[in-house]
Amino acid sequence: METIVLGFVIAIVMALLYVFCRLIFSFWVFPVLAYRKLKRNGLDGPSPSFPFGNLSEMKKKIINVQSSNISHDIHSTLFPFFTRWQHSFGKMFIYWLGTEPFLYIADPELLKKLSTEVTAKNWGKPAVFRRDRSPMFGNGLLMSEGDDWVRHRHVITPAFNPTNLKAMASLMVETTNKMLDNWVTLIDSGAQEIDVEREIIATAGEIIAKTSFGISDQSGRPVFEKLRALQMTLFKTVRFVGVPFGKMLHPKKTLEARKLGQEINQLFLSLIDERRKSIRGSTPQHDLLGLLLKQSEQGGFTKSLTTQELVDECKTFFFGGHETTALAITWTMLLLATHQDWQHQLREEIREVVGDKGIDVNMLSGLKKMGWVMNEVFRLYPSAPNAQRQAKADIQVSDDLSIPRGTNMWIDIVGMHHDPALWGEDVNEFKPERFKDDIHGRCKHKMGYLPFGFGGRMCIGRNLTFLEYKIVLTLILTRFSFTISPTYCHSPSIMLSLRPSDGLPLPRFPFGSLSEMKKIIINVQSSTKNWGKPAVFRCDRAPMFGNGLVMSQGEEWVRHRHVITPAFNPTNLKAMASLIVETTNKMLDNWKDSGPQEIDVEREITATAGDIIAKTSFGISYQSGRLVFKKLIRTSQMTLFKTSRHVGVPFGKIMHPKETLEARNQPIVLAKIHQRVDAQRDLLGLLLKENERGFTTQELVDECKTFFFGSHETTALAIIWTMLLLATHQDWQHQLREEIREVVGIKKLRWTCFLDLRRCVYSNTITDCA
Ligand code: HEM
């Protein structure tokens, strides 16, 4: 017995020793050996500390620089540590992400030598990134290595042949026009600003969903929302990539990323399943997914992809295929807004090349200047700011430089694109003419300009990007012109890709046709989005407003505002007018019939405004509208604001348990929502439509409450105060009545000055009031 126990203990001790040794070797011995080898080659770098490497220094220095002065010198603000280390150690040095040494490269000559030595198949990707980014890209083309990479690339390449790309053009035009029509509606409806970055990303997403996966905006939207959430989880938080057990420092984020990754996998799995079924029944589609499936079913062993590989490719293309292009267009809008001469030149070019006819793909190559602008935008603001590699074998670069197997490399694309030694002293200036007669933009080294990577692993989607970029920009420039607001704040940031950290909102702007251009003001300062509401009020007033538009913040607010704005476009507003007249006349008839006794005007007008909003925004009857309204106002407002409460005091609500419970009014609103099944174009109709696309029922309830309260009482009070002021300023009352008589005419006024109101809430002197 003792021998068994002893044996058991020894086995455990051995196992623990083995795990310990492995950890020591993985996190200490191997990285240090690789580091020493690199140092022997004369490479140096900042001193690391165990186990964070140089991370603490890197994180400390990342400041989100916001400036009203638009400087394109973004390398020194986004990567100040790289700029500093470059000064000390040159364009090639070693730095550490946790316990992983990285060879930093901003030297095009070294890249050239590496590309000649190593074939695409023999490049690996740093294991630390493959693991970290796996919820997003899995083992898709971007992350795969060796023979796997060859197989994937072979299967995917035909999807980007010119015939397939051309076939995508009409969908691109259609989807972009839909976005631009929406801008017009938003402008007409008085929207204060449009977040152009968000709009363009959504449109690029729709384009990739339709063209590569043959799915509608509606089915693609959940994928994008989850991908976006995943991107936020992975790249917006301070994380410790490369630090042993670094994920454990953020267990919540790690689990969230894993969960989102799995949910996205599930969405794609069902998409793939559906397509598999439909392929058997009908002719296969020639989009990316169609090709992947066809190859997988007929391609034989060398060409087929497993279902998991298919899912990973879908994720890679969904993400990689829309955000990068959308960001390039967004940065272009910013640069054209600050360089009106170029905006003008491009518009002129479009006029000459495309004219008033529809866009023909064959014409796009004639848009030469647009090509220069595109290249210059890719230089100054490359959507993919860096590339990573891992050496799969020792690389003998030169007699005195050998890069050992397993070395991770970080290729600083932004660094090279902003290097004055390669581009000259005007490196940080927007000068598209650099690319006039030279596809490398007169860069002193051909490998100094790498917006799409290099060698055999160059971006597979670049031709799709060129096509989409030119189509979208042509349509935007044809319908809109734009300039920049003096309050613009420039703050590029990295969230895997290079983006404006606060989006690119345009405040309401007029639009014109190609022949009649007007100014758009670009206000890239997203102050509205960044305003929050005091938490103490958000919590206290939750029964009344929930997290509806009045109380929502940040991205949530942008999304809600975006959904709701179309409900207030002129067509919808006009349609409300007859209901407003009818409901008001009903109230006035009631006043007339009420005899000489007093009328509480405040109560009457508030109730009528409530009825109006019930009918016009929620399409519900006078009676049911009144019920909701009464419940909301009398319970919430009276309970919340009429009693003396202890807002801001910890557990203050416990001091008023009755009012607190009474203020919860959600069920009545929910019941009303459930009754609505029709598809009207009023506010609730729009919200319900959005509900099907991801607006939660709670958000729906909160918006209904917000609008029920916010939209009737405020207007009613304005009318009531006007009545009081007109009652005390008879001259103005008279002038207004005269004006109405002139403008509207006597026939349309059913009665003026008929009522003899003895009392209203604020005054008992109002007489002859209409
Ligand atoms: C402005 C647009 C784009 C930019 C700046 C861009 C940039 C890049 C860069 C720099 C790489 C090389 C990464 C590396 O070497 O580690 C790359 C690879 C890749 N890109 Fe793009 N890309 C763009 C658009 C697209 C589009 C539209 C798609 C797909 C529809 C796409 C899919 C991919 C894929 C799958 C790879 C991996 C290729 C491989 O390793 O074989 N990209 N891209």
Side-chain angles (χ1 to χ4, degrees):
M1 182 66 184
E2 270 176 24
T3 339
I4 295 172
V5 172
L6 191 66
F8 188 64
V9 171
I10 291 173
I12 288 180
V13 170
M14 295 295 281
L16 286 175
L17 206 63
Y18 172 75
V19 171
F20 179 74
C21 289
R22 278 214 63 162
L23 291 178
I24 290 286
F25 270 82
S26 306
F27 297 134
W28 187 278
V29 180
F30 291 143
V32 168
L33 287 178
Y35 179 59
R36 291 219 174 123
K37 270 192 195 170
L38 286 169
K39 282 205 93 162
R40 274 201 294 277
N41 280 288
L43 293 165
D44 206 351
S47 315
S49 63
F50 186 83
F52 294 106
N54 301 107
L55 272 176
S56 13
E57 203 176 338
M58 291 167 81
K59 293 205 183 298
K60 198 168 56 192
K61 298 296 169 197
I62 297 177
I63 324 156
N64 193 5
V65 182
Q66 293 216 341
S67 164
S68 51
N69 170 27
I70 303 171
S71 159
H72 304 310
D73 179 11
I74 58 169
H75 189 252
S76 57
T77 52
L78 283 173
F79 306 106
F81 40 88
F82 283 153
T83 310
R84 219 184 33 259
W85 293 337
Q86 265 201 27
H87 284 309
S88 312
F89 309 106
K91 299 207 174 124
M92 213 168 73
F93 54 81
I94 313 156
Y95 75 99
W96 291 70
L97 283 182
T99 54
E100 295 273 339
F102 270 77
L103 176 62
Y104 169 93
I105 303 174
D107 174 6
E109 186 53 29
L110 173 65
L111 280 181
K112 188 179 155 201
K113 286 180 182 155
L114 286 173
S115 309
T116 32
E117 285 300 315
V118 187
T119 57
K121 177 182 154 182
N122 293 329
W123 275 126
K125 296 283 171 130
V128 63
F129 290 133
R130 287 172 48 116
R131 273 195 307 273
D132 184 59
R133 296 173 187 180
S134 87
M136 196 139 204
F137 301 115
N139 202 24
L141 193 60
L142 191 66
M143 288 299 176
S144 56
E145 304 174 328
D147 286 333
D148 265 349
W149 172 80
V150 176
R151 188 164 46 91
H152 283 233
R153 185 104 188 178
H154 201 68
V155 171
I156 291 161
T157 302
F160 294 92
N161 68 30
T163 322
N164 281 3
L165 287 184
K166 274 187 188 168
M168 297 176 184
S170 58
L171 264 170
M172 289 178 186
V173 172
E174 189 188 298
T175 317
T176 311
N177 272 330
K178 198 173 103 193
M179 169 185 79
L180 300 182
D181 288 345
N182 189 39
W183 289 8
V184 174
T185 312
L186 288 171
I187 294 159
D188 283 353
S189 64
Q192 290 304 307
E193 54 181 30
I194 296 175
D195 186 344
V196 170
E197 184 218 8
R198 217 181 109 102
E199 289 276 313
I200 295 178
I201 288 188
T203 299
E206 211 176 315
I207 290 174
I208 200 86
K210 286 178 185 164
T211 55
S212 294
F213 301 92
I215 54 173
S216 69
D217 172 33
Q218 215 147 328
S219 348
R221 193 177 279 230
V223 181
F224 283 112
E225 274 163 14
K226 289 200 189 301
L227 271 174
R228 180 109 178 146
L230 183 58
Q231 190 186 12
M232 294 281 188
T233 316
L234 285 178
F235 303 106
K236 220 179 175 176
T237 48
V238 178
R239 291 171 322 118
F240 293 93
V241 179
V243 176
F245 309 109
K247 286 191 171 176
M248 286 184 184
L249 301 177
H250 303 281
K252 206 168 147 233
K253 292 275 165 208
T254 306
L255 287 176
E256 204 177 306
R258 193 173 299 164
K259 186 168 161 269
L260 281 165
Q262 281 163 357
E263 284 170 6
I264 297 168
N265 285 357
Q266 273 312 317
L267 287 170
F268 277 117
L269 273 174
S270 39
L271 180 70
I272 290 168
D273 261 3
E274 266 172 43
R275 276 295 281 273
R276 274 195 170 127
K277 280 181 208 147
S278 73
I279 283 175
R280 277 173 213 131
S282 58
T283 357
Q285 283 164 257
H286 292 289
D287 57 12
L288 179 79
L289 185 56
L291 276 165
L292 291 178
L293 286 169
K294 193 173 141 207
Q295 301 277 24
S296 299
E297 304 210 335
Q298 305 169 358
F301 182 70
T302 47
K303 274 191 170 182
S304 65
L305 298 181
T306 65
T307 303
Q308 186 53 48
E309 285 173 327
L310 278 173
V311 168
D312 289 348
E313 282 316 347
C314 290
K315 290 202 287 192
T316 301
F317 278 87
F318 239 78
F319 183 75
H322 83 284
E323 207 187 64
T324 41
T325 313
L327 287 171
I329 299 168
T330 307
W331 287 119
T332 304
M333 285 192 75
L334 170 69
L335 285 159
L336 291 182
T338 47
H339 294 85
Q340 290 290 321
D341 51 331
W342 276 102
Q343 193 181 140
H344 180 72
Q345 286 190 55
L346 291 201
R347 200 168 289 119
E348 279 306 305
E349 187 179 64
I350 294 169
R351 211 192 294 267
E352 274 165 29
V353 176
V354 183
D356 283 339
K357 293 163 267 160
I359 293 183
D360 176 345
V361 183
N362 299 319
M363 290 173 177
L364 295 178
S365 58
L367 296 170
K368 302 274 182 234
K369 286 186 181 170
M370 192 181 280
W372 310 341
V373 167
M374 178 177 75
N375 289 336
E376 182 68 340
V377 173
F378 285 147
R379 184 184 73 82
L380 286 172
Y381 295 93
S383 310
N386 45 62
Q388 298 92 34
R389 293 280 190 277
Q390 191 180 57
K392 286 286 164 199
D394 290 350
I395 310 169
Q396 194 63 46
V397 181
S398 59
D399 290 345
D400 51 1
L401 178 61
S402 159
I403 294 178
R405 178 171 172 255
T407 302
N408 294 317
M409 292 168 224
W410 180 279
I411 296 132
D412 189 354
I413 295 177
V414 178
M416 288 193 295
H417 287 192
H418 288 260
D419 183 351
L422 293 172
W423 299 90
E425 283 314 307
D426 59 358
V427 63
N428 292 317
E429 286 170 37
F430 176 68
K431 287 192 168 174
E433 63 270 26
R434 286 178 216 274
F435 289 90
K436 189 174 174 195
D437 301 309
D438 183 1
I439 50 164
H440 299 106
R442 294 184 218 136
C443 178
K444 290 188 183 127
H445 197 293
K446 287 193 167 56
M447 294 288 279
Y449 179 61
L450 302 174
F452 293 98
F454 62 98
R457 290 208 71 150
M458 198 180 263
C459 175
I460 199 168
R462 61 192 185 285
N463 286 332
L464 175 64
T465 295
F466 299 154
L467 181 72
E468 190 173 330
Y469 179 96
K470 287 195 169 174
I471 289 180
V472 176
L473 199 61
T474 299
L475 290 170
I476 292 177
L477 284 167
T478 305
R479 293 177 67 175
F480 297 89
S481 87
F482 35 93
T483 178
I484 193 131
S485 148
T487 53
Y488 167 66
C489 265
H490 194 50
S491 73
S493 66
I494 304 283
M495 226 170 76
L496 187 62
S497 31
L498 175 64
R499 60 194 317 143
S501 59
D502 295 323
L504 189 69
L506 308 182
R508 50 184 307 204
F509 50 84
F511 70 100
S513 67
L514 190 61
S515 52
E516 190 197 334
M517 284 293 169
K518 294 180 187 164
K519 298 266 171 188
I520 302 171
I521 310 291
I522 294 190
N523 177 4
V524 190
Q525 189 187 39
S526 66
S527 48
T528 325
K529 182 174 122 186
N530 291 337
W531 278 118
K533 299 280 173 131
V536 63
F537 291 133
R538 296 188 65 200
C539 168
D540 183 61
R541 296 175 188 178
M544 200 142 191
F545 300 115
N547 201 24
L549 199 58
V550 170
M551 286 300 174
S552 57
Q553 312 178 130
E555 286 296 336
E556 290 268 294
W557 172 82
V558 176
R559 190 162 53 91
H560 283 228
R561 178 107 192 176
H562 196 73
V563 169
I564 288 159
T565 301
F568 295 91
N569 68 30
T571 322
N572 283 4
L573 288 183
K574 273 185 198 161
M576 294 178 183
S578 60
L579 267 168
I580 297 175
V581 171
E582 188 188 298
T583 317
T584 313
N585 272 331
K586 205 163 168 183
M587 172 186 77
L588 298 180
D589 286 344
N590 191 31
W591 288 4
K592 197 170 66 174
D593 298 340
S594 67
Q597 72 271 35
E598 292 171 343
I599 294 173
D600 185 343
V601 173
E602 186 227 4
R603 228 175 89 111
E604 286 282 309
I605 293 181
T606 311
T608 301
D611 291 335
I612 289 172
I613 202 76
K615 286 177 185 166
T616 55
S617 293
F618 300 94
I620 52 180
S621 75
Y622 180 84
Q623 277 309 328
S624 36
R626 179 162 283 215
L627 188 66
V628 180
F629 147 72
K630 259 193 184 166
K631 191 91 185 158
L632 271 175
I633 300 307
R634 299 297 160 201
T635 36
S636 297
Q637 199 192 15
M638 291 303 191
T639 354
L640 285 179
F641 302 112
K642 245 209 154 155
T643 48
S644 65
R645 291 167 320 115
H646 294 85
V647 179
V649 176
F651 309 110
K653 285 190 174 179
I654 297 175
M655 297 179 194
H656 305 280
K658 196 167 152 250
E659 283 87 356
T660 306
L661 284 177
E662 216 175 303
R664 296 194 181 151
N665 46 40
Q666 180 158 318
I668 181 125
V669 183
L670 261 176
K672 285 290 148 217
I673 289 172
H674 287 314
Q675 279 169 17
R676 264 288 291 267
V677 281
D678 50 344
Q680 292 173 31
R681 271 198 60 81
D682 58 10
L683 179 76
L684 184 55
L686 281 167
L687 290 174
L688 282 169
K689 202 167 125 208
E690 209 56 31
N691 184 227
E692 284 161 18
R693 300 197 291 206
F695 227 57
T696 66
T697 306
Q698 186 55 53
E699 284 173 321
L700 206 69
V701 168
D702 290 350
E703 279 319 344
C704 290
K705 291 201 293 188
T706 299
F707 275 82
F708 240 89
F709 178 71
S711 52
H712 86 280
E713 202 183 66
T714 42
T715 317
L717 285 171
I719 300 170
I720 292 156
W721 286 115
T722 307
M723 285 182 72
L724 171 67
L725 287 162
L726 290 183
T728 49
H729 294 83
Q730 290 290 322
D731 52 332
W732 274 104
Q733 194 181 136
H734 179 72
Q735 283 187 55
L736 291 200
R737 197 170 291 114
E738 279 306 305
E739 188 181 60
I740 294 168
R741 211 188 299 268
E742 270 167 34
V743 177
V744 186
I746 195 76
K747 272 171 273 164
K748 290 201 179 156
L749 288 176
R750 286 191 46 202
W751 43 288
T752 52
C753 334
F754 299 147
L755 275 181
D756 183 11
L757 296 180
R758 296 285 147 75
R759 190 184 81 86
C760 86
V761 164
Y762 309 104
S763 160
N764 58 6
T765 56
I766 296 183
T767 52
D768 287 353
C769 184

